[in-house]
Amino acid sequence: MSNIELSGQHRSWHSSHSGAPCFACTGWEQHFMTLPATDLSANSSKSRLRINGHAASTPPHAQDRVTAHLAAYFKSRMGPRAGLSGNSIDENITQVSRSCLILVRETLDRRAVPDAAEFDAIREVTARWAHDATPLTMVLRGHHEAVRMAFGLVSTTAQSHDVEELRTAGDLMLGLLNAITTEVTETYVAGQCHTADMGRSNAQNLASALLAGRSSRAMARHAGRPIADAYQVVALAIPDRPEEDVPAAASTARLHCTVCALQSAVDEVFASRGLALLSAKGGTLLVALGPGVTTPVCPTTMDRLATAAGIPLTATVITSNIDQVPEAADQAHELLSLVQTANRAPGLYQPSDLDIEYQVTRGGPVTRRIATLLDPLLSHPGLLDTVRTYLATDMDRQSTARQMRIHPNTVDNRLRRITELTSLDLATSSGICRATIALLAYEHRHR
């Protein structure tokens, strides 16, 4: 094999061991796994690494060989993917092979892994692959393969008496691979996060435009989200979860993580059909409808969102044509307010689930008069809480007592007192009906 010197500077390598088995280019990893670590700081009396009596060297066209191998390696595993066609793959692969060969040379010359500043070329190509959505596993394997080939070209002629040189070189290569893995992973993740943030920002701008009645085809193209003729408009509520003995900063950070998890779940469940504007209190979700839609907003999809976010979600949904999205959003949030006023359990609610609540809260003299039925209890907060809890537990005095942490007999006494003050007899069906409507009207008036 013709040779070209890989080392750019003449540094010393220690060589004193004999009797080790021969090394093959394809089997050096397994051998080094059985050897003790080498002290890389030790000085040597020799001017350069020598293998089989000759200076460590590679074939004259090492970069061409590594580049060709990596191109075949990527194409055979990736196929026709973005970022792996035309000049793009040639430029990226060439940069990887050249960068890895330089790093191997510098590592062997210095007996130390290069500084972070010397990984700029690797970070640059990694950022491009992250933008093109090339899988991280393939990016890492490509760099590792380039280093493996470079080291294989150095060690291919090794004999048993070269074990010490190769032990040192092997440890150096492991250190280099660790540094490459760290730089590539951090750069890739940062690039992916930036791309995701940009995509979400564009999607949020599109959602804001739709909710304001300003649909824009150009904005939709920029966001990568087609505009549909109809949408499911969802109003979401994230419950308050006050935590004792938790610093405010930690609570805020936890809530931020919850919102991020919910946003990620929306992206996963609805993909490009979902547009979300979320905050710590909840938000609005627009889900495009059209032919072939297999994942509409339904109790199952809402359960998936709640599970991913780790919180119970309360939501209302209204289907609307694109021109009526702003009005549908207002109505969905109004219905959500009714759900919360009525102390309904978390879940997904349709307009038909809230017909009575909607009608009762339309205002007018009758509604205002009904709401005043509970006014006598304003000076007795415990009695008003008893009405709320008693109705919420389906008139179960034992459950009411447990939730309020009082004796069941106290519940009975309070119910009698409520009847005396309001004329609402919660022991009769008519009294329960009137009390339910009065409480709904009262809560709506005082929200």
Side-chain angles (χ1 to χ4, degrees):
M1 180 181 297
S2 58
N3 293 331
I4 184 172
E5 184 173 304
L6 180 64
S7 176
Q9 301 178 25
H10 301 305
R11 299 296 174 86
S12 58
W13 292 85
H14 183 65
S15 177
S16 61
H17 188 80
S18 61
C22 291
F23 286 79
C25 177
T26 58
W28 64 273
E29 301 101 323
Q30 294 180 352
H31 182 84
F32 285 131
M33 291 298 290
T34 65
L35 295 176
T38 302
D39 182 3
L40 302 182
S41 63
N43 292 323
S44 172
S45 60
K46 294 190 176 180
S47 60
R48 64 192 319 172
L49 173 66
R50 300 185 69 83
I51 295 178
N52 196 22
H54 301 283
S57 55
T58 57
H61 302 294
Q63 182 177 313
D64 293 340
R65 289 187 55 186
V66 174
T67 299
H69 175 80
L70 290 184
Y73 180 82
F74 269 82
K75 289 179 179 178
S76 67
R77 287 160 174 78
M78 296 291 296
R81 288 183 56 96
L84 290 178
S85 59
N87 294 330
S88 177
I89 183 172
D90 296 333
E91 294 173 0
N92 291 345
I93 293 295
T94 299
Q95 187 164 334
V96 168
S97 60
R98 178 172 59 247
S99 300
C100 288
L101 285 171
I102 291 173
L103 287 171
V104 169
R105 182 193 67 204
E106 295 299 320
T107 299
L108 294 176
D109 281 353
R110 302 176 185 177
R111 291 179 174 262
V113 176
D115 296 333
E118 299 185 52
F119 288 83
D120 286 347
I122 279 182
R123 285 190 286 265
E124 180 182 332
V125 72
T126 298
R128 290 202 297 267
W129 266 328
H131 180 270
D132 293 335
T134 304
L136 175 59
T137 53
M138 293 303 303
V139 177
L140 286 170
R141 288 173 185 170
H143 286 84
H144 287 199
E145 186 72 3
V147 173
R148 187 191 70 81
M149 285 194 68
F151 183 65
L153 294 169
V154 173
S155 62
T156 187
T157 60
Q159 300 296 320
S160 58
H161 56 269
D162 298 315
V163 66
E164 287 298 330
E165 291 91 333
L166 290 173
R167 284 179 61 187
T168 301
D171 281 341
L172 286 166
M173 291 301 99
L174 291 176
L176 176 60
L177 286 174
N178 180 64
I180 287 176
T181 300
T182 300
E183 295 292 343
V184 168
T185 303
E186 290 180 351
T187 302
Y188 188 95
V189 170
Q192 287 279 284
C193 289
H194 176 72
T195 300
D197 288 343
M198 289 294 293
R200 286 176 179 172
S201 178
N202 293 334
Q204 289 169 352
N205 290 337
L206 177 58
S208 297
L210 290 172
L211 290 170
R214 297 183 289 101
S215 59
S216 168
R217 301 290 173 181
M219 185 179 293
R221 285 193 298 271
H222 187 60
R225 310 289 180 98
I227 293 180
D229 294 328
Y231 286 86
Q232 286 181 297
V233 183
V234 182
L236 284 170
I238 295 176
D240 292 327
R241 295 193 299 176
E243 299 172 278
E244 297 181 357
D245 301 326
V246 175
S251 180
T252 301
R254 191 170 301 172
L255 187 57
H256 176 72
C257 291
T258 296
V259 175
C260 288
L262 181 57
Q263 177 67 69
S264 297
V266 169
D267 294 341
E268 180 181 350
V269 172
F270 300 109
S272 63
R273 296 188 301 106
L275 299 169
L277 289 176
L278 301 175
S279 71
K281 296 294 184 180
T284 306
L285 172 63
L286 304 178
V287 178
L289 296 175
V293 172
T294 58
T295 314
V297 178
C298 63
T300 300
T301 53
M302 290 305 302
D303 286 344
R304 289 176 61 185
L305 297 184
T307 299
I311 54 173
L313 293 175
T314 303
T316 54
V317 58
I318 293 178
T319 300
S320 166
N321 293 328
I322 185 172
D323 296 334
Q324 298 172 327
V325 165
E327 294 79 6
D330 289 341
Q331 187 179 1
H333 280 279
E334 184 178 1
L335 293 176
L336 180 62
S337 178
L338 290 179
V339 171
Q340 295 172 311
T341 297
N343 293 316
R344 293 286 194 97
L348 179 66
Y349 293 88
Q350 304 281 346
S352 58
D353 299 323
L354 302 162
D355 286 342
I356 295 176
E357 290 86 348
Y358 186 79
Q359 190 61 41
V360 167
T361 57
R362 288 307 82 203
V366 175
T367 299
R368 289 193 292 271
R369 186 170 65 252
I370 292 174
T372 63
L373 290 175
L374 296 177
D375 283 353
L377 304 182
L378 293 179
S379 58
H380 305 278
L383 297 182
L384 190 57
D385 287 341
T386 301
V387 173
R388 290 192 184 98
T389 308
Y390 188 66
L391 294 177
T393 58
D394 287 333
M395 291 69 69
D396 187 327
R397 59 190 290 273
Q398 297 288 344
S399 296
T400 300
R402 283 194 299 271
Q403 288 193 26
M404 299 191 72
R405 298 182 180 180
I406 59 178
H407 195 278
N409 290 343
T410 303
V411 175
D412 294 336
N413 293 334
R414 289 185 179 185
L415 293 177
R416 283 193 293 269
R417 182 59 175 158
I418 290 167
T419 301
E420 293 173 1
L421 293 173
T422 65
S423 300
L424 296 171
D425 188 354
L426 297 181
T428 66
S429 59
S430 61
I432 292 169
C433 181
R434 293 180 67 209
T436 301
I437 295 174
L439 182 62
L440 178 62
Y442 173 86
E443 299 281 28
H444 181 73
R445 187 181 69 178
H446 290 83
R447 283 190 66 86

